[in-house]
Amino acid sequence: MTHIAVYTRSAVVSPENIEAQRRTVNGALERAGFMKEATVEYYSDDGASGMNSERPGLGLLLADIAKGKFQWLVVDEWHRLSRSEDLLDIIDKLLAHNVAFITARELEALC
């Protein structure tokens, strides 16, 4: 079974934006055939800047990745994960734990 983490972030408090990102990612996962055979866990930071890597949801996500919980991390768009040079550090952590990182758009392009 595939274990997938989905991360969403909005710079302003906007449950609608977070939900829209989840719908986009879930749709891509569905069209790629993952939803039938995968477990999906959701992490989010609502009202958090992508320039700051000190976000509660991101911290929980990275801790769970370090525990080996996931094989994939999917986001709506890459800048939802980070808007700073921290992105490369986060990707290094993903690679160190054999976690693939892909956006919903990239996933759609593969289908």
Side-chain angles (χ1 to χ4, degrees), residues 12-88:
V12 296
V13 175
S14 175
E16 299 82 14
N17 189 332
I18 296 294
E19 186 55 36
Q21 290 176 51
R22 283 187 183 181
R23 279 193 309 273
T24 298
V25 170
N26 285 343
L29 289 169
E30 182 72 38
R31 285 183 285 284
F34 281 108
M35 295 303 270
K36 294 178 184 174
E37 59 187 49
T39 61
V40 180
E41 289 189 43
Y42 299 91
Y43 299 80
S44 66
D45 286 301
D46 199 3
S49 170
M51 294 297 292
N52 178 4
S53 63
E54 298 297 320
R55 293 174 258 146
L58 180 62
L60 289 172
L61 169 65
L62 293 175
D64 284 347
I65 284 171
K67 293 175 189 173
K69 285 183 72 173
F70 303 109
Q71 296 149 317
W72 289 82
L73 170 59
V74 185
V75 296
D76 178 27
E77 298 179 34
W78 67 266
H79 63 84
R80 295 297 167 197
L81 190 56
S82 179
R83 284 189 175 267
S84 71
E85 64 275 357
D86 293 344
L87 179 63
L88 297 178

